[in-house]
Amino acid sequence: MSGTSPLDPAPSFHSLTPRKTEEEEEEELEETPQEKKLRLAKLYLEQLRQQEEEKAEAREFEEDQVAGRLKEDVLEQRGRLQKSVAKEIQAPAPTDIRVLRGHQLSITCLVITPDDLAIFSAAKDCTIIKWSVETGRKLRVIPRAKKGTQGQPSGHSSHILCMAISSDGKYLASGDRSKLILIWEAQSCQHLYTFTGHRDAVSGLAFRRGTHQLYSTSHDRSVKVWNAAENSYVETLFGHQDAVAALDALSRECCVTAGGRDGTVRVWKIPEESQLVFYGHQGSIDCIHLINEEHMVSGADDGSVALWGLSKKRPLALQREAHGLHGEPGLEQPYWVSSVAALLNTDLVATGSHNACVRLWQCGEGFRQLDPLCDIPLVGFINSLKFSSAGDFLVAGVGQEHRLGRWWRIKEARNSVCIIPLRRAPAAPVAGS
């Protein structure tokens, strides 16, 4: 009978383990060259497979990024890009705001050079100052021209109401109450030409992006087209029923205007010489700014801020009493909205009034909503607002008076250019990452 005798010692499993390793080692030692080649080839193939998997993952990630960028490019071309940046913006501390003083009277308008290195500001004192963004120092001053000077003046002799800079940073245009548009070489501030033709104060200027085509509007109710590089007048368009208050343009051959007391916003299609008319505000529409090629924001003296899409004649969103009310109980009036700005192709909008703050807003998806983000304390009339191209700062032109009149005077305000830094909160980590 086979079996284990009770006298036989129990098999030791521990003693088998080292023997197995020895066997493996022996196998490796006894490995033929062909077997070694096969083993190394398998190892190499495994490494290659892992590398390919890693490359495929990286490619997928890159393709996702490229697809994202292509999607953004397509939306930008269609004029519908709305990057989400507003929720990342952190309200700056009042001590972080830099105040540049140099004008004697209220700032009326300002522009930032496309490279974000300099700011041009203009005021009721008829001067233009070029400032360094980095140092806050004056780089150039274009003084007031003396009235009655023989020949073409190399400066303004009345309130400057509007300015524009070409997208290549070459030309600066400024318009005044004396119906004149002056063209300057932006780098040196040398006067190049004077455009005459408007019959009343020039209230709005904008260069078409990527060109030297200049659009202007005036209290004479017209829109004019000029070519700054060729020192030439192109054409005039009519349609507004009252003094036009402001104008803006981007890359398309069209511009948008705020029609003041005629209560309309208009989009002018220059080649077709046609216009689209939009209604929505109750008061005088005093300021307008394009957010992208298909959407814009406007502000009025009834205290409302409106978001528009070019395909709808009524506002997509309307925020009444955007800056609140003031006055005696029972006689409250809304604070006039005196300036609006939008960070190009994003959901971030800024508005100014004279209620001691600049207000930042977030546009909802499809520009169908406008939600307040934060208030930046600033005393005085906020007559002009501009975002830097990179979106890292906002510039406000502040005055003791409204840019278009002397209805009120805020004595404690300082006529100044204020640089407001816009810091972004670090993006929240994605869940599960």
Side-chain angles (χ1 to χ4, degrees):
M1 188 174 85
S2 65
T4 310
S5 159
L7 300 172
D8 288 345
S12 168
F13 293 102
H14 295 292
S15 61
L16 296 173
T17 317
R19 207 161 57 220
K20 192 180 176 186
T21 315
E22 281 163 27
E23 278 171 16
E24 278 176 1
E25 280 171 12
E26 276 170 31
E27 264 178 39
E28 272 186 32
L29 287 170
E30 289 165 15
E31 196 175 37
T32 63
Q34 280 84 2
E35 284 171 337
K36 188 175 182 180
K37 274 182 188 170
L38 188 64
R39 183 171 59 80
L40 290 173
K42 281 180 180 173
L43 247 166
Y44 178 60
L45 284 169
E46 181 60 26
Q47 283 175 338
L48 277 180
R49 191 181 63 78
Q50 282 179 348
Q51 283 175 2
E52 281 305 311
E53 274 182 15
E54 283 168 17
K55 276 186 193 168
E57 274 179 28
R59 246 198 324 270
E60 214 172 286
F61 177 69
E62 270 178 34
E63 279 168 10
D64 281 353
Q65 283 197 317
V66 169
R69 280 203 296 272
L70 285 172
K71 189 180 174 186
E72 278 191 5
D73 288 348
V74 168
L75 284 170
E76 192 167 353
Q77 280 169 6
R78 287 186 185 166
R80 292 180 184 174
L81 183 57
Q82 186 186 12
K83 288 186 209 161
S84 179
V85 300
K87 63 178 183 294
E88 298 168 14
I89 298 295
Q90 292 178 313
T95 49
D96 290 341
I97 299 170
R98 289 193 289 149
V99 179
L100 316 182
R101 299 203 62 191
H103 289 286
Q104 302 303 308
L105 299 176
S106 297
I107 316 292
T108 53
C109 54
L110 50 83
V111 290
I112 306 171
T113 55
D115 57 14
D116 288 346
L117 295 179
I119 299 163
F120 288 92
S121 61
K124 289 185 178 183
D125 60 15
C126 313
T127 64
I128 298 173
I129 300 177
K130 184 181 184 181
W131 307 86
S132 162
V133 171
E134 190 183 359
T135 65
R137 291 203 179 107
K138 293 178 192 173
L139 298 174
R140 306 258 176 197
V141 178
I142 301 172
R144 177 185 187 135
K146 291 180 174 68
K147 283 189 179 175
T149 342
Q150 290 302 308
Q152 285 200 344
S154 59
H156 292 276
S157 58
S158 64
H159 295 179
I160 303 163
L161 296 181
C162 51
M163 279 196 297
I165 193 164
S166 59
S167 56
D168 61 359
K170 190 173 180 183
Y171 296 107
L172 175 76
S174 52
D176 66 17
R177 280 202 178 276
S178 304
K179 318 169 197 173
L180 299 179
I181 300 168
L182 272 57
I183 306 295
W184 311 85
E185 206 262 306
Q187 184 59 39
S188 64
C189 292
Q190 183 189 344
H191 177 241
L192 299 174
Y193 346 102
T194 300
F195 289 158
T196 59
H198 278 296
R199 297 179 176 192
D200 205 337
V202 180
S203 53
L205 288 167
F207 279 96
R208 182 183 167 202
R209 289 165 77 90
T211 75
H212 294 136
Q213 192 170 60
L214 176 68
Y215 304 122
S216 68
T217 194
S218 160
H219 291 175
D220 68 9
R221 310 179 185 188
S222 72
V223 170
K224 289 185 187 288
V225 186
W226 317 81
N227 188 316
E230 294 171 9
N231 185 16
S232 61
Y233 159 78
V234 181
E235 63 180 314
T236 302
L237 304 168
F238 294 97
H240 277 293
Q241 304 301 307
D242 208 325
V244 189
L247 174 145
D248 195 24
L250 284 176
S251 304
R252 291 183 185 168
E253 206 170 345
C254 73
C255 62
V256 298
T257 51
R261 299 240 155 256
D262 81 356
T264 67
V265 162
R266 295 185 189 228
V267 175
W268 304 79
K269 297 184 175 181
I270 308 299
E272 296 96 328
E273 294 188 16
S274 66
Q275 56 192 285
L276 303 171
V277 186
F278 300 79
Y279 299 90
H281 292 286
Q282 301 299 311
S284 172
I285 309 168
D286 294 338
C287 43
I288 193 161
H289 203 284
L290 281 159
I291 302 170
N292 56 31
E293 299 282 6
E294 288 282 328
H295 299 91
M296 54 195 167
V297 58
S298 61
D301 71 359
D302 63 357
S304 62
V305 174
L307 293 177
W308 309 82
L310 297 199
S311 54
K312 282 201 181 255
K313 294 294 178 80
R314 293 275 169 190
L316 298 174
L318 185 70
Q319 182 73 45
R320 298 190 191 280
E321 297 165 17
H323 282 260
L325 299 165
H326 66 104
E328 299 293 319
L331 298 169
E332 294 100 336
Q333 292 289 316
Y335 280 101
W336 295 5
V337 178
S338 50
S339 54
V340 292
L343 182 55
L344 183 64
N345 293 326
T346 72
D347 59 347
L348 182 61
V349 163
T351 59
S353 182
H354 62 282
N355 67 323
C357 75
V358 169
R359 189 157 282 176
L360 297 184
W361 306 80
Q362 178 175 10
C363 303
E365 197 170 334
F367 300 96
R368 295 186 178 278
Q369 204 173 323
L370 197 60
D371 300 312
L373 273 179
C374 63
D375 288 353
I376 299 160
L378 219 50
V379 175
F381 279 89
I382 313 300
N383 286 325
S384 187
L385 285 168
K386 290 285 186 296
F387 282 101
S388 64
S389 303
D392 53 352
F393 64 91
L394 170 68
V395 184
V398 184
Q400 293 185 333
E401 301 171 347
H402 190 283
R403 76 182 186 103
L404 296 174
R406 306 190 69 181
W407 299 283
W408 299 280
R409 185 177 172 83
I410 301 171
K411 286 182 182 172
E412 57 274 24
R414 293 192 288 174
N415 298 320
S416 56
V417 172
C418 297
I419 302 176
I420 303 160
L422 298 175
R423 295 192 175 85
R424 298 194 188 183
V430 181
S433 64

